[in-house]
């Protein structure tokens, strides 16, 4: 019996004692976001799997664990993990079972998601539009967009279910992902005819798809229709418009951001990221840095895209010192940019003879990146003459990490 299977079986035992101290859901989520080793991710998840107040509260932790396993193509282990939950007494609760369907979808294992949906009678779980929507979600996540249309027609008839606004939204998403925004537009009309609420999310999904297909005039007509019908346009809808219309002109983009404020909407991190990107692309690096430094003042927090974009353009402009400072902030917030961006920064630091900083960056990065990228980082280290001394003990590593963030 593998150690993985033993851990999963332990996860599903009815005993209340565990060998690992339990932690809160929020703490588990934080740890899982920065943990790429699938076995360690499972270990973190096992500390909370039996200690949550609702299925929804633990869904994110479960999905993250499944994604880590899927990344390593450990699909049999995913099946072992998810199937083990079917022995839990909570399986008779539809929301709990839906987390299993959704997780199978996250792993691209739609056949397993479908089988779980069909097992609901056997498991004693009531079936409603909630589990139907979970199945549609799993199909979308598995990129089986053609499958959703048939499911949408067959499942409601077979089980006497009525699709709701979420069901229609998922079908709309499948059409848009397949490159058929015209079909999605027809579906919006069908929703209105059937008295199903057309949400801002559904409108925004179609709007974005029209822009991507180059149908800008149709997108503008849809926007005008949204306004005319009094649809509650949210920040996401404005962000789609910003991305596709005002991408290259920071002045016009600023005007649209002001318009958002006039209608009572507060720009989010995505909005400011795009404005910062526009500044960068137009060589306005001082404005870009001010935008980054003012995020907190504007009630926003930088995300991974913020750090990736700013560090990339700081390197392009030769400002490696600032890039290094921004990198350290990304480490503190557990939002380290991707490999190519970090490689660019390391090369720049070496070019500027900042070997100490380059070595510190490499040492930190090797702890943050997934195992499959360690070989690539080792090659970068060798090519740039940054081969580290023999590994220090765990205590020394922790001290170095602390010193690195304080610099």
């Amino acid at each position: 019996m593998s150690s993985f299977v033993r851990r999963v079986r332990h996860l599903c035992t009815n005993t209340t004692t565990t060998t690992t101290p339990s932690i809160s859901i929020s703490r588990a989520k934080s740890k899982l976001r920065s943990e790429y080793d699938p076995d360690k991710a499972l270990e973190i998840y096992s500390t909370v799997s039996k200690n949550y107040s609702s299925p929804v509260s633990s869904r994110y932790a479960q999905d993250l664990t499944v994604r880590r396993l899927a990344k390593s193509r450990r699909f049999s282990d995913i099946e072992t993990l998810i199937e083990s939950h079917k022995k839990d007494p909570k399986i008779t609760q539809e929301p709990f079972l839906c987390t299993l369907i959704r997780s199978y979808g996250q792993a691209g294992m739609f056949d397993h998601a479908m089988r779980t949906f069909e097992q609901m009678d056997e498991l004693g779980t009531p079936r409603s539009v909630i589990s139907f929507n979970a199945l549609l979600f799993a199909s979308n996540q598995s990129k089986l967009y053609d499958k959703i249309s048939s499911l949408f027609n067959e499942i409601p008839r077979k089980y006497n279910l009525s699709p709701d606004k979420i069901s229609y939204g998922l079908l709309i998403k499948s059409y848009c992902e397949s490159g058929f925004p015209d079909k999605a537009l027809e579906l919006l009309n069908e929703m209105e005819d059937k008295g199903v609420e057309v949400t801002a999310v559904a409108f925004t999904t179609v709007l974005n798809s029209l822009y991507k297909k180059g149908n800008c005039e149709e997108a503008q007509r849809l926007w005008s229709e949204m306004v005319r019908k009094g649809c509650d346009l949210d920040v996401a809808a404005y962000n789609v418009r910003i991305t596709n219309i005002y991408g290259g002109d920071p002045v016009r983009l600023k005007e649209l951001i002001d318009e958002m404020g006039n209608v009572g909407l507060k720009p989010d991190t995505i909005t400011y990221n795009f404005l910062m990107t526009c500044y960068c692309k137009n060589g306005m690096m001082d404005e870009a840095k001010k935008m980054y430094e003012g995020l907190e003042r504007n009630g926003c927090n930088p995300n991974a895209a913020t750090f990736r974009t700013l560090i990339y353009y700081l390197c392009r402009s030769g400002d490696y010192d600032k890039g290094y400072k921004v990198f350290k902030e990304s480490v503190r917030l557990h939002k380290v940019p991707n490999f190519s961006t970090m490689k660019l920064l390391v090369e720049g630091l070496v070019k500027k003879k900042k070997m100490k900083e380059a070595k510190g960056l490499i040492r930190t990065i090797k702890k943050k990146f997934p195992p499959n990228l360690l070989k690539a980082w080792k090659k970068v280290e060798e090519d740039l003459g940054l081969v580290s001394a023999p590994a220090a003990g765990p205590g020394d590593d922790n001290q170095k990490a602390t010193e690195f963030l304080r610099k």
Side-chain angles (χ1 to χ4, degrees), residues 194-389:
K194 292 185 175 181
V196 179
E197 179 189 351
V198 179
T199 65
V201 173
F203 262 128
T204 302
T205 302
V206 180
L207 184 73
N208 191 44
S209 184
L210 288 169
Y211 279 126
K212 285 184 176 179
K213 290 285 286 186
N215 300 336
C216 295
E217 290 184 9
E218 188 65 46
Q220 286 297 88
R221 279 196 291 271
L222 178 60
W223 180 271
S224 298
E225 185 179 353
M226 291 164 73
V227 174
R228 181 178 62 79
K229 292 181 177 179
C231 182
D232 289 331
L233 299 176
D234 56 12
V235 175
Y238 271 93
N239 283 344
V240 166
R241 199 175 175 204
I242 285 170
T243 302
N244 291 282
I245 300 180
Y246 302 105
D249 189 341
V251 175
R252 295 180 67 192
L253 195 155
K254 272 281 288 157
E255 291 174 355
L256 190 54
I257 291 176
D258 291 340
E259 181 184 320
M260 292 173 66
N262 292 336
V263 298
L265 293 175
K266 187 177 180 181
D268 62 8
T269 301
I270 295 173
T271 314
Y272 289 121
N273 276 354
F274 209 81
L275 179 56
M276 186 184 74
T277 302
C278 284
Y279 283 144
C280 290
K281 286 183 176 180
N282 285 275
M284 304 165 69
M285 293 307 300
D286 288 341
E287 287 81 355
K289 285 183 272 190
K290 288 177 184 176
M291 177 59 61
Y292 163 72
E293 290 161 359
L295 277 175
E296 188 175 343
R297 186 170 60 254
N298 288 317
C300 298
N301 295 312
N303 58 21
T306 311
F307 292 115
R308 182 178 66 246
T309 301
L310 186 57
I311 291 174
Y312 172 79
Y313 281 101
L314 285 169
C315 290
R316 287 279 301 270
S317 65
D319 193 351
Y320 300 109
D321 287 337
K322 179 65 176 178
Y324 184 64
K325 289 179 182 178
V326 174
F327 160 69
K328 288 197 290 185
E329 181 66 11
S330 77
V331 173
R332 190 181 69 81
L333 297 176
H334 305 293
K335 299 182 186 298
V336 179
N338 58 11
F339 174 82
S340 59
T341 304
M342 289 294 89
K343 182 173 179 286
L344 197 63
L345 179 55
V346 172
E347 291 171 342
L349 290 171
V350 171
K351 183 179 178 181
K352 294 292 185 180
K353 308 297 183 186
K354 295 184 176 293
M355 306 302 285
K356 183 178 179 181
E357 288 81 355
K359 287 181 178 181
L361 186 151
I362 286 277
R363 186 170 55 245
T364 302
I365 280 290
K366 287 166 72 175
K367 297 174 187 175
K368 296 291 182 180
F369 273 70
N372 63 312
L373 282 177
L374 291 183
K375 186 178 290 187
W377 274 117
K378 185 177 180 181
K379 186 176 187 309
V380 171
E381 202 173 19
E382 291 172 350
D383 290 346
L384 296 176
L386 297 172
V387 178
S388 302

Side-chain angles (χ1 to χ4, degrees), residues 56-273:
V56 174
S57 68
S58 71
R59 188 178 73 197
Y60 184 67
Q62 179 174 295
D63 285 350
L64 269 176
T65 305
V66 167
R67 267 183 256 154
R68 296 295 182 256
L69 290 167
K71 190 87 172 176
S72 300
R73 304 192 65 78
R74 290 169 54 173
F75 300 111
S76 62
D77 288 341
I78 292 171
E79 182 177 12
T80 300
L81 172 62
I82 296 179
E83 291 299 310
S84 71
H85 286 308
K86 293 181 181 179
K87 299 174 184 177
D88 192 303
K90 291 187 287 295
I91 195 63
T92 57
Q93 301 171 18
E94 188 178 20
F96 179 83
L97 183 138
C98 286
T99 66
L100 309 187
I101 294 175
R102 290 172 60 93
S103 286
Y104 269 135
Q106 293 279 6
M109 301 169 69
F110 178 76
D111 289 345
H112 290 69
M114 187 77 224
R115 184 181 66 196
T116 301
F117 180 81
E118 292 172 340
Q119 286 177 332
M120 292 180 73
D121 292 332
E122 174 190 335
L123 295 168
T125 315
R127 185 184 285 107
S128 74
V129 70
I130 296 173
S131 48
F132 172 54
N133 289 342
L135 187 64
L136 295 181
F137 172 86
S139 185
N140 259 337
Q141 290 296 109
S142 300
K143 302 189 185 303
L144 298 175
Y145 305 122
D146 294 341
K147 184 77 174 174
I148 292 187
S149 182
S150 59
L151 289 172
F152 200 88
N153 292 325
E154 296 166 7
I155 298 294
R157 284 201 303 266
K158 184 176 180 179
Y159 296 102
N160 193 29
L161 302 173
S162 297
D164 61 8
K165 61 185 180 182
I166 297 175
S167 315
Y168 275 97
L170 289 164
L171 181 57
I172 284 171
K173 180 175 175 62
S174 72
Y175 283 143
C176 291
E177 291 289 349
S178 300
F180 298 110
D182 292 342
K183 288 186 178 181
L185 274 172
E186 292 174 7
L187 204 58
L188 291 178
N189 295 327
E190 180 183 321
M191 291 173 72
E192 287 188 314
D193 293 341
K194 292 185 175 181
V196 179
E197 179 189 351
V198 179
T199 65
V201 173
F203 262 128
T204 302
T205 302
V206 180
L207 184 73
N208 191 44
S209 184
L210 288 169
Y211 279 126
K212 285 184 176 179
K213 290 285 286 186
N215 300 336
C216 295
E217 290 184 9
E218 188 65 46
Q220 286 297 88
R221 279 196 291 271
L222 178 60
W223 180 271
S224 298
E225 185 179 353
M226 291 164 73
V227 174
R228 181 178 62 79
K229 292 181 177 179
C231 182
D232 289 331
L233 299 176
D234 56 12
V235 175
Y238 271 93
N239 283 344
V240 166
R241 199 175 175 204
I242 285 170
T243 302
N244 291 282
I245 300 180
Y246 302 105
D249 189 341
V251 175
R252 295 180 67 192
L253 195 155
K254 272 281 288 157
E255 291 174 355
L256 190 54
I257 291 176
D258 291 340
E259 181 184 320
M260 292 173 66
N262 292 336
V263 298
L265 293 175
K266 187 177 180 181
D268 62 8
T269 301
I270 295 173
T271 314
Y272 289 121
N273 276 354

